[in-house]
Amino acid sequence: MTHEENAALAPAAARARFREGLVVPTSGFSAGYAQANLLAVPEEYAFEFLLFAQRNPKPCPVLGVLEAGQVESTLLAGGDIRTDVPLYRVYRDGELVDEVADARESWRDDLVAFLIGCSFTFESALLENGVPVAHIDQGVNVPMYRTTVPTTPAGRFSGPLVVSMRPVPADRVADAVRITARYPAVHGAPVHVGDPAALGIADLGRPDFGDPVEIPDGAVPVFWACGVTPQAAVMESRPSLAIAHAPGHMLITDARDLTYQVP
C-alpha cells in the first residue's frame, strides 16, 4: 500500500491488517489518530512502573492502563492488545527472547498493560504544516538511540533515556518545536536540538533501534523523548517478564490526535 493509503486507513482497519499478519512500522498510518507504545509487566511490578512513568513523564506519558488480565480498552474498541500491534518483543529477566506478531502465547493473566504516548502522533501535524518527516519520505523506521541521560529511578525500574531523531530543515526547527510542544501527552517538544554528542550519541548512522535516515543538506538533527525508554528500563531492571511493541511498530488507537493537543 502507498503512504496515502496507509494514512487513510481507519484505526480499526489498520489493526485488522496487523491481526491478519501485516508487519510494518506504523509511522504514517491512520492520519489524525494517536499511536501508542506498549509495555506489559506482571502485576507485582505494575505500581513501580507507574511510579517510574510518573517520575519520567517526558519519555513515558501514560495514555491508559489496563487492569491485570484485561486485553481490551476503549482506546482499541473491539480489539485485543495481544494481537493488534504489528510486532511484539518478549523479554524474560531483561533479555530479549522473542519477536512475534501475536503475543497470546506469551501473555499471562497477571500482566498489566501500559499504553504510552508515541511521537508518531504529532507527525501528521508536522506534515500538515510543511515540516518534512525524513523517515516517512525515505520509507524507513524512525531512528532511536540510547543516551547517556539517566531517567529518574522508581522502585526496581531505572535506565537511560531513549530518544527518536528527525532531521529538520534549520529554518523550520522553531516551527517543529512549537508544533510538537502542543502534544505533551505524546512526548511534546524536543529534548535536544543539534549536537548528538551532548546526549552521548556517537554515530547517528548507527541507531540502537529503528533504521538510519539520510540527513538532507541544511537539516539539523532534532531529538524527542521516546517511548522505547521503558524497554531500556526493562533491560536494565530485569523484571521476570515484559511484553512490549517492537520499536516503531505501534498500537494505533481510536483516540483522535487532537484529543492530546493543548492550546
Side-chain angles (χ1 to χ4, degrees):
M1 295 180 67
T2 66
H3 168 64
E4 291 74 18
E5 290 170 328
N6 290 339
L9 277 177
R15 295 194 300 266
R17 289 181 180 272
F18 303 143
R19 281 197 301 275
E20 293 163 2
L22 178 64
V23 177
V24 291
T26 55
S27 179
F29 271 76
S30 303
Y33 289 88
Q35 298 195 27
N37 301 271
L38 167 69
L39 185 73
V41 294
E43 190 172 14
E44 65 171 299
Y45 296 93
F47 174 75
E48 291 173 49
F49 180 74
L50 186 62
L51 185 59
F52 178 80
Q54 189 272 334
R55 289 179 177 173
N56 298 279
K58 194 78 170 174
C60 304
V62 176
L63 303 184
V65 184
L66 281 63
E67 295 186 28
Q70 182 182 357
V71 297
E72 299 179 359
S73 167
T74 55
L75 288 173
L76 58 151
D80 187 322
I81 196 66
R82 304 169 298 176
T83 60
D84 288 9
V85 169
L87 190 65
Y88 298 83
R89 284 188 157 190
V90 181
Y91 295 90
R92 297 190 186 277
D93 298 317
E95 299 292 332
L96 177 64
V97 297
D98 208 356
E99 282 196 337
V100 295
D102 184 326
R104 286 177 292 186
E105 186 173 328
S106 299
W107 205 268
R108 296 190 335 208
D109 287 342
D110 67 331
L111 290 181
V112 175
F114 293 85
L115 304 181
I116 295 166
C118 171
S119 57
F120 286 175
T121 302
F122 58 55
E123 289 179 344
S124 293
L126 290 173
L127 292 170
E128 288 168 5
N129 285 275
V131 179
V133 179
H135 59 270
I136 294 179
D137 291 341
Q138 297 173 30
V140 297
N141 199 355
V142 65
M144 294 159 273
Y145 307 84
R146 287 190 183 92
T147 73
T148 53
V149 178
T151 57
T152 302
R156 287 168 280 188
F157 287 96
S158 62
L161 173 70
V162 176
V163 295
S164 60
M165 188 279 290
R166 295 164 182 81
V168 176
D171 63 350
R172 300 306 307 275
V173 168
D175 294 326
V177 172
R178 173 181 53 81
I179 292 163
T180 59
R182 298 184 66 190
Y183 294 88
V186 292
H187 304 306
V191 295
H192 183 70
V193 175
D195 183 12
L199 298 173
I201 300 169
D203 185 353
L204 288 178
R206 300 180 63 185
D208 296 291
F209 312 95
D211 300 317
V213 297
E214 179 182 343
I215 299 180
D217 290 342
V220 176
V222 181
F223 301 89
W224 280 266
C226 177
V228 179
T229 300
Q231 293 187 50
V234 162
M235 295 174 201
E236 184 163 309
S237 307
R238 308 178 72 83
S240 58
L241 174 65
I243 297 177
H245 68 289
H249 298 70
M250 319 306 298
L251 175 71
I252 298 177
T253 78
D254 292 325
R256 298 298 306 227
D257 52 14
L258 292 177
T259 303
Y260 302 112
Q261 186 188 83
V262 299

